[in-house]
Amino acid sequence: MDKFFNPASVAVVGAGEKNLGGSVVKNLLSGFDGGIYPVNPNYKQLHGIKCYPSVAEIPGKVDLAVILVAANAVPPVLEACAGKGVKRVIIESAGFSETGDEGIALQKKCLQIARKAGMRLWGPNCMGLVDVHRPYFFTFMNPEVREELLSGRISLIVQSGMMSAIFLAELGRRGIGVAKACSIGNRADVDECDIIEYLQDDHDTDVIALYLESIPRGRRFAELARKSDKPLVLLKGGESRAGAKAAVSHTYSLSGDSRLLNSILDFSGVIKANSMFQMMDMAHALTGISNINPACRAAILTFSGGAGILACDALEKSGVTVAELSKQTRRAVAEIFPSWMPVSNPVDLFPAVSVKGRKIAFKGGVDAVVRDPGVDVVVIHFVAGIGDEAPDLYSLKQQADENGKILVFWLMGRRLGSLQFKEEAERAGILVYEDATRLAECISSAARFSAHREERGQNPGNPEVVKDKSAAEPLPETGKSWDEHDSKKFLAGFDIPVVDEKIVSSADEARAWAEHAGMPVVLKGLVPEKGHKTDCGLVKLSLSDRLSIESAFKDLSDKVKGSGRILIQKQVHVDYELIAGFMRDPAFGACVMFGLGGILAELEPDVVFELAPVDRQRALKMIRSVRNRKLFQGFRGRPPLDEEAAAQILVDLGRAGTAHPQISQIDINPLAVNRGSPVAVDAGVVLT
Amino acid sequence: MDKFFNPASVAVVGAGEKNLGGSVVKNLLSGFDGGIYPVNPNYKQLHGIKCYPSVAEIPGKVDLAVILVAANAVPPVLEACAGKGVKRVIIESAGFSETGDEGIALQKKCLQIARKAGMRLWGPNCMGLVDVHRPYFFTFMNPEVREELLSGRISLIVQSGMMSAIFLAELGRRGIGVAKACSIGNRADVDECDIIEYLQDDHDTDVIALYLESIPRGRRFAELARKSDKPLVLLKGGESRAGAKAAVSHTYSLSGDSRLLNSILDFSGVIKANSMFQMMDMAHALTGISNINPACRAAILTFSGGAGILACDALEKSGVTVAELSKQTRRAVAEIFPSWMPVSNPVDLFPAVSVKGRKIAFKGGVDAVVRDPGVDVVVIHFVAGIGDEAPDLYSLKQQADENGKILVFWLMGRRLGSLQFKEEAERAGILVYEDATRLAECISSAARFSAHREERGQNPGNPEVVKDKSAAEPLPETGKSWDEHDSKKFLAGFDIPVVDEKIVSSADEARAWAEHAGMPVVLKGLVPEKGHKTDCGLVKLSLSDRLSIESAFKDLSDKVKGSGRILIQKQVHVDYELIAGFMRDPAFGACVMFGLGGILAELEPDVVFELAPVDRQRALKMIRSVRNRKLFQGFRGRPPLDEEAAAQILVDLGRAGTAHPQISQIDINPLAVNRGSPVAVDAGVVLT
């Protein structure tokens, strides 16, 4: 990949006087210090340099070719590049897979040529790449946008062509600096994973910000994110379109609406943004806050009680704790406060102004909270240009640094005053926000990345998927989908606790088993093709005497009519229902799922997904990430879940699923919890 | 109230050369055309006009006095005002109820003087009022902020002093105009309700934006909001601090975390904002969009596929429908599209550029969607300053108006270009947003207000609370709190369906009742003092034979030991559990509650509150506003709730609660639904 970013020479095929190829040449001339070779048979010279009639006729080596000819003219150009020994090509032309069948075929053809020639192919349908530090512009991007770019520590990976220009323009407008910007288009070959990997060692990049509409190599993406020392901030387009999946199993249906993707990326430490500007602001914050207490606690200083309350609301909503000030801090603050005023956080300095004056009040407030060991972030609400005199921001930053505190301003005020303040603060390395909500979101994202990094130190990664066939019983040979009983037998083979049960073929046998095992019992008619047993009247609960067992058996026999069989099982006492599952996702591969079961969980799914197999520690993390985990943590006197036992089930479920490639989905639903112990009461395995 | 806003003369008590009172005088001189009387014994003249030693010595009538002396000097000034016959006073001094006990006493004293003199009192601890149109400034606000104010159609009501200056400064900075700004401070007398009422008839005000940290007269506020033809946009501070309430009943505990307030304000048509800028942007949007289809459908035009996707995501997340384009529209769009490109919404115009050129593509797109009868809003994503040539915004706006469409821009681009575009667009009356999320939130808030207004046309209001004692049985005389059976007897008196049950005093009696009524039955030990019956083992479920009834009776007899009694009831089949309740809130008065019951509903409460009593229509609206209503609307084969029957229960519950002022809370939990019919299975009434 490095030669994409650091070629010694670049050919631009399709350059002209005024076309997009010509813009590439002009952009190259503005900063690229290697060989520049425009290719176009119609010109001898272009933009002041020699132009070549064909790639073959370029003297010397070509490290990178940028192609901007009409789509159907691209394959011959690629052949020419192959002939010349060019190993890296960026196709910026459009008209490929995004346009339908013909374009898909054309793109496939390009990829074949590239593969054969051992050539890496970037694009097509993209804006190429930009390195603001060098500055290198291998792109047809408008030169006016180029001029507004600031160099910085964020690198961008953007799927859509137009969007990368928009991102760069907006970052320039907001005064946020950029290292590299990679517009990857249709991703025929080079994709976001390749670039993330490359940027790991890029000295100019501290944070990677991405705009993607799909993540076809999801598993690789998640694995790279887990290893990355640089935060990944992702804006995902098309969230509302995630749309309906055909629900074969609960696990599969619950993975929809981006739930699987979001869950796994969350476990991978990816920071998800939900709008363009939030993405930019979070990425910017992460370049400034590289180390923060994951359980981050904020002190708030303000001259307006109302603003203090709003800051508090915003921080708590984002999961940032409003710090409990220490005794010493409170004593120090009390010295500048009027006697009637109790000290609390937010620290409202307004009444202190009347006692000590504005300057001493401000200094006293800062001095007190900045030294508090229970404070990680100092949020200062400030109004520039009406009354509040600007403090010396450099010494304020130094004071914060010396005390190991993050300093952030919530800035308001008049037009000019606040603009000046903001520029001054950013020069001093202080983050400034106009919006308290955004401020809180950014602090929270930094804390989440810290938490991820800390956790990773303790548990470096998931176990590899091993085809551990020795651990698995051979797969039962009963056709495409197994019934409940076969499914549970299979799971029991992986040490997953299942309910006591037996297939019975007569009412007598059922009654005898019940008398031996103890009542109440449940009778079920197993017909693999029928969807939901309860909905079809195939489940008979709470059978406590011989008579009801016999009548239930008879009824079910009529219903299954030789197309299925009848299962008897002990009716276990259920304190609450959970759900666990396994599935193979096209992008993320083998995954395990865990969450709340029962009807309301179907209304508002509360489940998490993780790459399978999982180890004990990751399984515990899954269990502790369920939104309403308090349900199984001793809620209203219910016996708490044995989390170790549940974690073991997830570990075993991952083993079971990954051991057999024929298994596409497994449901344990419900995973019933009886006095803390989880047990599979119903289960299903779906084979491909 | 009118004389607060339109006094013929204003006295400023506590005016000086350089103090806040002096600022009030200077602000008055900048625009007030009536008499201005500074009062201060130390000056003969102030800021170029005559100064008076005392209020008494002012010649002629004083319509309004603005007081800015030290807090403890305020009462004598009020007495002087009373002596002079001043009927309206704004106390802008701080040092009252916000400072603790002494201040509370001082504020009470001021109120007493005012009441005695028939004087309305505004403040204390506030910044007074501003009328940008006149321009009148009865405030000590910084004159520099004043100069940046634009006159517009939003009026502000702000509780906190500093915040009103901040709001005005920020609105000025964002180029949003203001009509009146009312800083109301401690609200000793004049409060937000008085001002909302006044602003109803104010010709300069189209939208009322409020920042409040509490709403002590919540019921009045909600009633005014319901009647208001002008949208109310509320930013509520202190949401995260709502804190814990002592949970006497479920209804009461579920009302916490601002759930009751949010629910009732939502039913009242109040638009809730969750940040300062969102509040300003929503208010601004509502001045521009006065009439929009409540089921608003948007068409999106863009030159970037990615931006189209993000716009789509943002709109759908805010509940705005992305329009299904008509056949005719699709045909018209197809004419500018390349042949391979299918037409959909968002309309991505980029490929059309290569066919028709940018100008014709844009015009073709606009012409097509603006005529579509299935489109209410046209959202245009536009990049100013890179490539996209600015269209004629005035004719674009005219075209939209002629077709009855709202036109909104999502604007990006380079610094200067986008600033110019924005100013031009706002002059043309077009709303412009930088952030798609905010754009979507603003359209959605306009649609919600339209929905509220439309609904109000059909159902003008709640029934009045009538002490309809004839309908109520006399209250049973069994002490402070009733047990379950007494509670249900009371509810049954209001025609609320309750489960079949009887108090029994022997095992024989229980058995006989069960044999007559039919098994299974439930036995309960009723001990009013004991909190949760199930948690205390006082509920025996699924009793299906004589033996188990007898043993359950014996066990419960031991447990209640003369301190309670034993209830037998039919065990009803339950398809799902709901909850209904009644309570009196300190701010909102009598309320009814409805929502999902059961354990998961306690984890993530899904309940709504409404002012009691409710009529049938409002009760139905409550039922249809439950977040997870699909549970009782035929979810997965469950029989749907008889919504009319449930609504009748809410109507009757409201009647029952409001008929007796001694009743403070009523719980029906669960309100079990058996084949669609709701019935009270357990209930409790709490008396004051």
Side-chain angles (χ1 to χ4, degrees):
Chain A
M1 289 295 296
D2 186 58
K3 278 276 160 71
F4 271 116
F5 293 89
N6 292 303
S9 55
V10 180
V12 183
V13 188
E17 203 61 69
K18 290 198 155 183
N19 66 3
L20 296 178
S23 300
V24 179
V25 175
K26 278 189 275 179
N27 282 333
L28 281 167
L29 287 168
S30 78
F32 181 59
D33 45 14
I36 304 174
Y37 307 119
V39 178
N40 189 330
N42 302 325
Y43 297 92
K44 293 264 171 239
Q45 193 141 17
L46 257 178
H47 307 293
I49 58 171
K50 187 171 162 49
C51 184
Y52 299 85
S54 72
V55 174
E57 283 161 87
I58 295 171
K61 211 175 157 228
V62 173
D63 274 350
L64 173 66
V66 176
I67 300 179
L68 256 160
V69 298
N72 46 25
V74 169
V77 172
L78 278 181
E79 298 280 13
C81 289
K84 174 76 185 167
V86 180
K87 293 293 179 205
R88 273 150 230 96
V89 164
I90 302 181
I91 306 175
E92 302 192 1
S93 322
F96 292 87
S97 66
E98 80 278 12
T99 65
D101 291 342
E102 259 178 70
I104 291 172
L106 198 60
Q107 185 168 317
K108 208 174 267 176
K109 195 171 167 191
C110 292
L111 189 59
Q112 279 165 352
I113 299 169
R115 289 262 155 88
K116 214 175 123 196
M119 179 194 281
R120 291 300 311 261
L121 198 156
W122 180 307
N125 186 29
C126 73
M127 287 190 69
L129 82 86
V130 167
D131 181 335
V132 184
H133 287 248
R134 305 298 288 262
Y136 285 179
F137 292 88
F138 307 153
T139 170
F140 60 86
M141 198 180 71
N142 188 316
E144 286 168 342
V145 173
R146 198 185 69 207
E147 282 153 23
E148 279 184 9
L149 288 178
L150 300 170
S151 101
R153 316 285 312 159
I154 301 171
S155 282
L156 285 173
I157 302 174
V158 180
Q159 186 184 334
S160 140
M162 238 339 243
M163 284 302 278
S164 52
I166 290 173
F167 274 113
L168 288 173
E170 291 298 319
L171 284 165
R173 187 150 70 104
R174 290 168 93 81
I176 299 176
V178 174
K180 296 180 169 59
C182 309
S183 165
I184 51 178
N186 295 1
R187 301 176 291 187
D189 171 20
V190 170
D191 72 357
E192 57 277 14
C193 294
D194 296 317
I195 297 173
I196 291 169
E197 220 172 341
Y198 174 75
L199 291 175
Q200 291 304 313
D201 298 320
D202 179 40
H203 295 302
D204 294 333
T205 301
D206 287 342
V207 175
I208 302 168
L210 306 101
Y211 172 73
L212 299 172
E213 285 157 17
S214 68
I215 311 180
R217 288 207 289 161
R219 194 174 189 99
R220 176 101 188 100
F221 185 90
E223 284 165 348
L224 284 169
R226 276 162 211 232
K227 282 190 289 190
S228 176
D229 285 321
K230 303 177 180 182
L232 267 59
V233 183
L234 170 67
L235 174 62
K236 174 91 179 28
E239 292 277 274
S240 59
R241 299 268 137 150
K245 294 182 173 188
V248 186
S249 67
H250 282 89
T251 306
Y252 194 70
S253 70
L254 286 168
S255 73
D257 296 331
S258 303
R259 217 171 279 121
L260 182 142
L261 179 137
N262 285 329
S263 184
I264 290 178
L265 294 190
D266 195 32
F267 286 129
S268 308
V270 174
I271 306 297
K272 282 240 9 230
N274 53 38
S275 78
M276 258 180 64
F277 293 134
Q278 195 199 45
M279 175 230 209
M280 294 177 188
D281 288 337
M282 280 180 172
H284 183 53
L286 283 158
T287 62
I289 308 177
S290 60
N291 197 6
I292 191 172
N293 178 4
C296 165
R297 302 150 301 176
I300 303 162
L301 293 176
T302 177
F303 287 106
S304 155
I309 289 173
L310 289 177
C312 208
D313 287 353
L315 288 167
E316 293 194 348
K317 206 181 265 173
S318 281
V320 178
T321 306
V322 174
E324 191 74 52
L325 299 179
S326 75
K327 249 189 201 163
Q328 205 178 339
T329 305
R330 274 181 285 146
R331 221 178 294 128
V333 172
E335 273 174 37
I336 53 163
F337 269 21
S339 58
W340 54 263
M341 173 104 176
V343 176
S344 66
N345 183 18
V347 181
D348 179 1
L349 295 167
F350 188 70
V353 173
S354 59
V355 184
K356 298 278 179 184
R358 187 171 282 268
K359 214 163 181 172
I360 293 175
F362 184 79
K363 191 179 172 331
V366 172
D367 287 350
V369 300
V370 90
R371 276 197 285 264
D372 193 318
V375 169
D376 304 300
V377 179
V378 178
V379 176
I380 303 181
H381 171 255
F382 201 81
V383 182
I386 20 173
D388 294 10
E389 203 180 311
D392 177 355
L393 293 170
Y394 289 91
S395 64
L396 209 57
K397 175 71 162 86
Q398 199 188 338
Q399 191 186 3
D401 285 348
E402 282 166 6
N403 288 279
K405 303 290 188 269
I406 311 284
L407 182 65
V408 186
F409 271 86
W410 181 20
L411 184 70
M412 294 182 174
R414 297 175 57 221
R415 223 169 294 180
L416 198 64
S418 61
L419 201 68
Q420 284 167 346
F421 186 100
K422 188 169 194 283
E423 283 173 1
E424 179 80 2
E426 296 204 325
R427 269 195 297 275
I430 299 171
L431 290 167
V432 175
Y433 297 90
E434 282 184 18
D435 188 87
T437 305
R438 185 56 49 82
L439 179 153
E441 290 164 352
C442 286
I443 294 176
S444 159
S445 69
R448 272 178 290 143
F449 188 71
S450 271
H452 166 70
R453 189 153 43 187
E454 200 167 272
E455 227 171 69
R456 191 182 53 184
Q458 292 151 14
N459 182 27
N462 260 12
E464 292 296 302
V465 177
V466 186
K467 304 261 152 23
D468 179 14
K469 290 216 170 133
S470 65
E473 286 189 23
L475 286 189
E477 298 288 348
T478 48
K480 232 179 131 60
S481 258
W482 301 340
D483 68 18
E484 176 182 335
H485 184 62
D486 283 340
S487 299
K488 272 186 277 187
K489 243 166 64 185
F490 170 73
L491 294 176
F494 282 87
D495 309 319
I496 292 174
V498 300
V499 73
D500 201 8
E501 65 183 26
K502 192 179 181 236
I503 294 290
V504 288
S505 49
S506 70
D508 281 349
E509 193 185 351
R511 206 191 48 230
W513 188 88
E515 276 164 357
H516 179 257
M519 305 208 207
V521 295
V522 180
L523 276 178
K524 293 178 178 173
L526 307 185
V527 187
E529 285 68 43
K530 290 228 175 168
H532 201 273
K533 286 188 284 276
T534 307
D535 294 352
C536 303
L538 290 168
V539 178
K540 305 281 181 182
L541 289 166
S542 306
L543 307 173
S544 307
D545 54 66
R546 301 169 55 156
L547 224 68
S548 38
I549 292 171
E550 277 163 17
S551 101
F553 187 91
K554 194 181 164 314
D555 184 44
L556 290 178
S557 297
D558 293 350
K559 279 185 176 148
V560 305
K561 267 192 218 131
S563 67
R565 40 190 198 163
I566 291 170
L567 179 69
I568 190 166
Q569 58 187 209
K570 284 209 60 156
Q571 181 162 330
V572 293
H573 169 82
V574 180
D575 292 319
Y576 38 86
E577 293 183 350
L578 304 174
I579 183 168
F582 170 90
M583 68 174 279
R584 293 184 197 275
D585 181 77
F588 289 92
C591 299
V592 283
M593 182 269 273
F594 177 79
L596 299 193
I599 176 94
L600 275 159
E602 282 180 45
L603 285 167
E604 288 189 86
D606 189 1
V607 296
V608 293
F609 289 83
E610 179 54 302
L611 300 177
V614 289
D615 59 16
R616 177 187 149 274
Q617 212 168 335
R618 288 214 173 259
L620 282 172
K621 166 128 205 220
M622 285 177 73
I623 293 166
R624 290 166 191 166
S625 302
V626 169
R627 196 172 66 243
N628 279 306
R629 55 192 167 275
K630 66 179 172 184
L631 172 71
F632 53 74
Q633 293 181 334
F635 188 65
R636 293 199 49 193
R638 279 167 180 73
L641 173 67
D642 178 346
E643 293 188 349
E644 288 288 347
Q648 192 55 49
I649 291 176
L650 296 178
V651 171
D652 294 333
L653 194 53
R655 277 200 309 131
T658 51
H660 299 284
Q662 310 95 294
I663 291 179
S664 70
Q665 295 165 45
I666 304 175
D667 266 342
I668 302 181
N669 181 25
L671 179 67
V673 183
N674 176 11
R675 292 181 190 86
S677 299
V679 57
V681 165
D682 196 348
V685 173
V686 181
L687 305 180
T688 38
Chain B
M1 288 294 297
D2 184 58
K3 279 278 159 72
F4 271 115
F5 292 88
N6 292 303
S9 55
V10 180
V12 184
V13 188
E17 203 62 70
K18 290 195 156 184
N19 66 4
L20 296 179
S23 300
V24 178
V25 174
K26 279 189 276 180
N27 283 333
L28 281 168
L29 286 169
S30 78
F32 181 60
D33 46 14
I36 305 173
Y37 307 117
V39 177
N40 189 332
N42 302 324
Y43 297 91
K44 294 265 171 236
Q45 194 141 16
L46 258 177
H47 308 294
I49 57 169
K50 186 170 162 48
C51 184
Y52 299 86
S54 71
V55 174
E57 281 161 90
I58 297 171
K61 211 172 159 234
V62 174
D63 274 351
L64 172 67
V66 176
I67 301 179
L68 255 160
V69 298
N72 47 25
V74 169
V77 171
L78 279 183
E79 298 280 13
C81 288
K84 175 75 184 165
V86 180
K87 292 296 179 203
R88 274 150 228 95
V89 165
I90 301 181
I91 306 175
E92 301 191 2
S93 323
F96 292 88
S97 66
E98 78 279 12
T99 66
D101 291 343
E102 258 178 71
I104 292 172
L106 197 60
Q107 185 168 318
K108 208 173 269 176
K109 197 171 165 192
C110 292
L111 189 59
Q112 280 165 351
I113 297 169
R115 290 263 153 89
K116 215 175 122 198
M119 180 192 280
R120 291 301 311 259
L121 196 157
W122 178 309
N125 186 29
C126 73
M127 286 189 69
L129 83 86
V130 167
D131 180 335
V132 185
H133 287 248
R134 307 298 287 264
Y136 285 179
F137 292 88
F138 308 153
T139 171
F140 59 86
M141 197 181 72
N142 189 314
E144 286 168 340
V145 173
R146 198 185 69 206
E147 282 153 23
E148 278 184 9
L149 288 178
L150 301 170
S151 101
R153 315 286 311 159
I154 300 171
S155 282
L156 286 172
I157 302 175
V158 180
Q159 186 182 335
S160 139
M162 232 349 236
M163 285 301 278
S164 53
I166 289 172
F167 275 113
L168 288 174
E170 292 299 319
L171 285 165
R173 186 148 72 103
R174 289 169 94 79
I176 299 176
V178 174
K180 296 181 169 60
C182 308
S183 163
I184 51 178
N186 295 2
R187 302 176 288 187
D189 171 21
V190 170
D191 72 358
E192 57 277 15
C193 294
D194 296 319
I195 297 172
I196 292 169
E197 221 172 340
Y198 175 74
L199 292 175
Q200 291 304 313
D201 298 319
D202 179 40
H203 295 303
D204 294 333
T205 301
D206 286 343
V207 175
I208 301 168
L210 305 101
Y211 172 72
L212 299 173
E213 286 157 17
S214 66
I215 311 179
R217 288 206 290 161
R219 194 174 189 99
R220 176 101 189 97
F221 185 90
E223 284 164 347
L224 284 168
R226 275 162 210 230
K227 281 189 291 187
S228 177
D229 285 320
K230 304 178 179 181
L232 267 59
V233 183
L234 171 67
L235 174 62
K236 173 87 178 33
E239 291 278 273
S240 59
R241 299 267 139 152
K245 295 184 172 187
V248 187
S249 68
H250 281 88
T251 306
Y252 194 70
S253 69
L254 286 168
S255 72
D257 297 330
S258 304
R259 216 171 281 120
L260 181 142
L261 179 137
N262 284 329
S263 184
I264 290 178
L265 294 190
D266 195 32
F267 285 128
S268 309
V270 174
I271 306 297
K272 282 246 0 235
N274 53 39
S275 77
M276 258 180 63
F277 293 134
Q278 196 198 45
M279 175 230 210
M280 293 177 190
D281 289 338
M282 281 180 173
H284 183 52
L286 284 159
T287 61
I289 310 177
S290 60
N291 198 5
I292 192 171
N293 178 3
C296 165
R297 302 150 302 175
I300 303 162
L301 293 176
T302 177
F303 287 106
S304 155
I309 288 174
L310 289 176
C312 209
D313 287 353
L315 288 167
E316 293 194 347
K317 206 182 266 174
S318 281
V320 178
T321 307
V322 175
E324 192 74 54
L325 299 179
S326 74
K327 249 188 201 164
Q328 203 179 340
T329 304
R330 275 181 284 149
R331 219 177 296 130
V333 172
E335 272 174 37
I336 53 163
F337 270 21
S339 58
W340 55 262
M341 172 105 178
V343 176
S344 65
N345 183 17
V347 181
D348 180 0
L349 295 168
F350 189 70
V353 173
S354 59
V355 184
K356 298 279 178 182
R358 188 171 282 269
K359 214 162 179 174
I360 293 176
F362 184 80
K363 190 177 173 333
V366 172
D367 287 350
V369 300
V370 89
R371 275 197 285 262
D372 193 318
V375 169
D376 304 299
V377 179
V378 177
V379 176
I380 303 180
H381 172 256
F382 202 82
V383 183
I386 20 173
D388 294 9
E389 202 179 312
D392 177 353
L393 293 170
Y394 289 90
S395 64
L396 209 56
K397 174 72 162 86
Q398 199 188 338
Q399 192 186 3
D401 286 346
E402 282 166 7
N403 287 280
K405 302 290 188 266
I406 311 284
L407 181 65
V408 186
F409 271 87
W410 180 21
L411 183 69
M412 294 183 174
R414 297 174 57 223
R415 224 169 293 180
L416 198 65
S418 60
L419 202 67
Q420 283 166 345
F421 186 100
K422 188 170 195 282
E423 282 173 2
E424 180 80 1
E426 295 203 326
R427 268 194 297 275
I430 299 171
L431 289 168
V432 175
Y433 296 89
E434 284 185 17
D435 189 88
T437 305
R438 184 57 48 83
L439 179 152
E441 290 164 351
C442 286
I443 293 177
S444 158
S445 69
R448 272 178 289 143
F449 188 72
S450 270
H452 165 71
R453 190 152 42 186
E454 200 166 273
E455 227 171 68
R456 192 182 50 185
Q458 291 152 14
N459 182 25
N462 259 12
E464 291 296 303
V465 177
V466 185
K467 304 260 153 23
D468 178 13
K469 287 214 171 136
S470 64
E473 285 190 24
L475 286 188
E477 297 288 348
T478 48
K480 234 178 129 65
S481 261
W482 301 340
D483 67 18
E484 177 181 336
H485 184 62
D486 282 339
S487 298
K488 272 186 279 187
K489 244 168 60 187
F490 171 74
L491 293 176
F494 282 88
D495 309 318
I496 293 174
V498 300
V499 71
D500 201 6
E501 65 183 26
K502 189 178 184 237
I503 295 291
V504 287
S505 47
S506 69
D508 280 350
E509 193 185 351
R511 205 192 50 229
W513 189 88
E515 277 165 355
H516 179 256
M519 306 210 205
V521 295
V522 181
L523 275 178
K524 292 178 180 174
L526 308 184
V527 187
E529 285 69 43
K530 291 226 175 167
H532 201 273
K533 286 188 286 274
T534 306
D535 295 351
C536 302
L538 289 169
V539 179
K540 306 281 181 183
L541 289 166
S542 303
L543 308 173
S544 306
D545 54 67
R546 299 170 54 156
L547 225 68
S548 37
I549 292 172
E550 277 164 17
S551 101
F553 187 92
K554 194 182 167 312
D555 184 44
L556 289 177
S557 296
D558 292 350
K559 280 186 176 146
V560 306
K561 264 191 218 131
S563 68
R565 42 190 197 164
I566 292 169
L567 179 69
I568 189 165
Q569 58 189 208
K570 283 209 62 155
Q571 182 162 329
V572 293
H573 168 82
V574 179
D575 291 317
Y576 36 85
E577 292 183 347
L578 305 173
I579 183 168
F582 171 90
M583 67 174 281
R584 293 183 197 276
D585 180 78
F588 289 91
C591 300
V592 284
M593 183 267 274
F594 176 79
L596 300 193
I599 176 93
L600 276 159
E602 283 180 45
L603 286 167
E604 286 190 88
D606 189 0
V607 295
V608 293
F609 289 83
E610 178 55 300
L611 301 177
V614 290
D615 59 16
R616 177 188 150 271
Q617 211 168 338
R618 289 216 171 259
L620 282 172
K621 167 129 204 219
M622 285 177 74
I623 293 166
R624 289 165 191 168
S625 302
V626 168
R627 196 172 65 241
N628 279 305
R629 54 192 169 274
K630 64 180 173 185
L631 172 71
F632 52 75
Q633 292 180 335
F635 188 65
R636 292 198 49 193
R638 279 167 180 74
L641 173 67
D642 179 344
E643 294 188 351
E644 289 287 347
Q648 191 56 48
I649 290 176
L650 295 178
V651 171
D652 293 333
L653 195 52
R655 275 201 307 134
T658 50
H660 299 285
Q662 310 96 294
I663 292 179
S664 71
Q665 295 165 46
I666 304 174
D667 266 343
I668 302 180
N669 182 23
L671 178 68
V673 183
N674 176 10
R675 293 181 188 88
S677 299
V679 57
V681 165
D682 196 348
V685 174
V686 180
L687 304 181
T688 37

